[in-house]
Amino acid sequence: MRERVLVTGGMGFIGSNFVRYMHDQHPEVQIINLDKLTYAGNPANLADLADRHRFVRGDVADPTVVDPLVRECDAIVHFAAETHVDRSIAYAGEFVQTDVYGTFILLEAARKYGIKRFVHVSTDEVYGEAVGRPSLEGDALMPKSPYAASKAGADRLAYSYYTTYGIPVVISRCVNNYGPYQYPEKLIPLFVTNALEGKKLPVYGHGRNTRDWIHVEDHCSALDALLQDDDNAGEVFNVGAGQEKSVLDITNIILKVLGKNDSLIEHIADRPGHVARHAVDSTKLTRTYGWKPRYDFEESMRRTIQWYVDHPEWWQPIKSGEFRRYYDEQYGDRSVRNTIQR
Ligand code: NAD
Ligand code: DAU
C-alpha cells in the first residue's frame, strides 16, 4: 500500500474524481494534490474534501514547487495536462510546455528522490486512428493533434526514464471519460448544458466519428490497480469500456434524456485532423488485474446527464466566465463555413 501519493492535476475532472475515489477506497493514504488551477482546475470539484487532503497550488513545470513535494511522497499519479484537442489546435505551445516539459520536471524529481511508483496518465489519443480493430499497447503511435502529440511525447519520455534510469513508471492509455465535474468544453457536458440553456448542439462535420466511452470511476479503479502493483514498471495498459458510440449517438441520448427536440442539433465545420475512431483493447489490463468496467453505459450516462441537471451552481459560473470568450472564438463563425450535409 502506498502511504503518501502526489496527485497532479487533482482539481480537474478525472483528477478530482480520483482524489475522491482514493479517499473512499483508501482513507489511510495521504494525498497531496498539486494543481496550477488553470481554467480547467476548479476547487469546487473537491470542496467537500478540502480539509481531508493537502492542496498545493503550483505548476508541474516548476522544479522549485515539484521537488519538495516529490521528496515527501512514495508515489505519483500524474494527471496534470492541457487536455482539450480544440484548444491545442489554437494554442499548441501551452500543450508542449505542460504536457511534455511538465512531465519531464516530474520525472527528474522522481529520479532524484527514488519514487516507488510513477503512474503516468496517458491517453488513447496517442495511437491516432484505430483502423480495423481497437488499438493494442504495441501499436505505433500516430497522434493527429498537437494535444495528442504532446501526450505521446510525454508517454515515451516517461518510458525512457524507466529504460534509462530504472524509474518505476507505468503508463495508462484510457478512452473518453464521462461523469460529474467534467469541464463543459468537452462533448457531453457541453451538449447537456447547451441543451438546458436552449442553445444549439454544435456537431463537428457529419457526427459519425466514434469514441469508446468509460465512466470516470472505472478509469479511477484501473489507475488504482496500476498504483498498487510493484511489478508493472515499464508496462503500458490500455483502459477501455467497449462502448463505441458516435457523436450523433451521444447527442441523441442527451436529447432523449432531457426530452429535447433534435432541432437543437447544428452541424458545423469539422475539427481539423478529426480522428474518425478511437477504441482500445484492454485485455491486458483485465488479464493482469481482473479489472473490468463496473458501470453500465446507459444507466450511468443517464445519471451523468442528471448530475448536470441537478448542479447548475457548478457549471453556470464556469459558462459565464472565461468560457464565453473561448466559446465565441471556437464556435463563432463555424456554421457559416459549414459545407457538410446531414
Ligand atoms: P482537465 O482539463 O479536466 O484537468 C486538468 C487539470 O490539470 C486541471 O485541474 C488543471 O488546472 C491542471 N493543470 C493544467 N496544467 C497544469 C500545470 N502546468 N501544473 C499543474 N496543474 C496543471 O483534464 P482531465 O480530463 O481530467 O484529464 C486528466 C488527465 O487524463 C490528462 O493527463 C489527460 O490527458 C488524461 N486523459 C483524459 C481523458 C478524458 O477523457 N478526459 C482520457 C484519457 C486520458
Ligand atoms: O480519447 C481520450 C481523449 O478524449 C482525452 O485524451 C482528451 O483529453 C479528451 O478531451 C477526449 O478527447 P476528444 O477530442 O475525443 O473529446 P471531445 O469531448 O472534445 O470530443 C469528443 C467527440 O465529439 C469528438 O469526435 C469531437 C466531437 N465534438 C466535440 C465537441 C466539443 C463535436 O462534435 N462538437 C463539439 O462541440
Side-chain angles (χ1 to χ4, degrees):
M1 177 54 65
R2 310 299 170 197
E3 286 171 12
R4 196 174 288 170
V5 177
L6 178 64
V7 173
T8 72
M11 288 301 188
F13 164 47
I14 307 174
S16 62
N17 276 285
F18 184 74
V19 169
R20 180 165 289 106
Y21 176 93
M22 290 297 286
H23 178 263
D24 293 345
Q25 300 297 319
H26 307 290
E28 69 287 1
V29 176
Q30 292 178 47
I31 300 286
I32 302 179
N33 175 1
L34 170 63
D35 197 300
K36 188 178 171 184
L37 297 186
T38 66
Y39 77 90
N42 187 352
N45 295 2
L46 287 175
D48 54 325
L49 296 183
D51 53 3
R52 309 234 183 101
H53 81 293
R54 193 166 129 209
F55 170 58
V56 178
R57 184 172 188 176
D59 190 337
V60 288
D62 180 353
T64 66
V65 175
V66 166
D67 279 26
L69 297 178
V70 171
R71 190 164 52 189
E72 285 185 54
C73 293
D74 56 355
I76 299 173
V77 185
H78 177 35
F79 294 96
E82 290 292 339
T83 63
H84 193 36
V85 172
D86 294 316
R87 290 191 195 240
S88 82
I89 294 166
Y91 310 106
E94 294 168 16
F95 288 71
V96 176
Q97 170 66 18
T98 289
D99 301 11
V100 185
Y101 188 72
T103 300
F104 159 69
I105 293 299
L106 265 181
L107 287 164
E108 276 294 297
R111 184 181 160 202
K112 228 185 274 177
Y113 299 113
I115 275 292
K116 294 198 189 110
R117 194 75 9 193
F118 188 116
V119 181
H120 179 72
V121 183
S122 187
T123 164
D124 70 345
E125 294 266 348
V126 298
Y127 294 117
E129 301 283 350
V131 182
R133 58 159 173 76
S135 304
L136 286 163
E137 286 86 350
D139 285 355
L141 305 190
M142 299 289 278
K144 287 183 70 178
S145 67
Y147 161 67
S150 302
K151 291 294 290 187
D155 178 313
R156 291 300 81 195
L157 189 66
Y159 179 70
S160 79
Y161 270 62
Y162 163 71
T163 55
T164 309
Y165 308 112
I167 307 303
V169 169
V170 61
I171 295 161
S172 68
R173 295 185 187 146
C174 189
V175 299
N176 286 57
N177 288 220
Y178 64 92
Y181 303 107
Q182 185 168 31
Y183 192 82
E185 67 192 349
K186 307 283 163 59
L187 177 71
I188 291 174
L190 177 68
F191 279 21
V192 173
T193 57
N194 271 14
L196 290 171
E197 293 175 315
K199 292 187 179 145
K200 293 285 185 188
L201 313 187
V203 170
Y204 299 162
H206 48 56
R208 291 193 294 275
N209 304 55
T210 61
R211 300 288 183 267
D212 178 7
W213 295 93
I214 190 170
H215 190 273
V216 63
E217 267 189 47
D218 282 329
H219 186 186
C220 292
S221 66
L223 293 172
D224 186 23
L226 301 186
L227 174 65
Q228 304 307 338
D229 185 5
D230 285 323
D231 295 316
N232 57 15
E235 297 292 332
V236 176
F237 289 89
N238 287 338
V239 186
Q243 292 295 341
E244 282 188 61
K245 308 281 178 228
S246 73
V247 172
L248 283 178
D249 291 337
I250 297 288
T251 307
N252 287 325
I253 292 171
I254 291 169
L255 290 172
K256 190 169 168 211
V257 171
L258 294 178
K260 302 274 183 184
N261 194 281
D262 71 0
S263 60
L264 283 181
I265 295 176
E266 181 182 34
H267 289 261
I268 65 166
D270 208 353
R271 170 189 279 175
H274 198 168
V275 173
R277 181 192 186 204
H278 279 309
V280 300
D281 182 328
S282 24
T283 306
K284 179 177 173 185
L285 184 71
T286 300
R287 284 218 181 112
T288 310
Y289 299 106
W291 176 91
K292 280 199 178 115
R294 285 184 38 236
Y295 285 79
D296 173 71
F297 175 76
E298 307 290 336
E299 171 61 9
S300 40
M301 267 295 287
R302 201 189 52 71
R303 280 174 189 266
T304 296
I305 294 166
Q306 190 60 41
W307 188 87
Y308 291 96
V309 172
D310 293 341
H311 291 88
E313 82 292 348
W314 183 83
W315 56 265
Q316 279 174 348
I318 296 174
K319 287 191 92 173
S320 60
E322 179 267 357
F323 187 87
R324 204 172 272 175
R325 200 172 48 248
Y326 159 77
Y327 198 80
D328 290 346
E329 210 177 288
Q330 180 66 27
Y331 295 93
D333 64 345
R334 273 170 87 159
S335 53
V336 179
R337 287 184 279 128
N338 178 25
T339 53
I340 309 286
Q341 302 299 311
R342 284 182 73 174

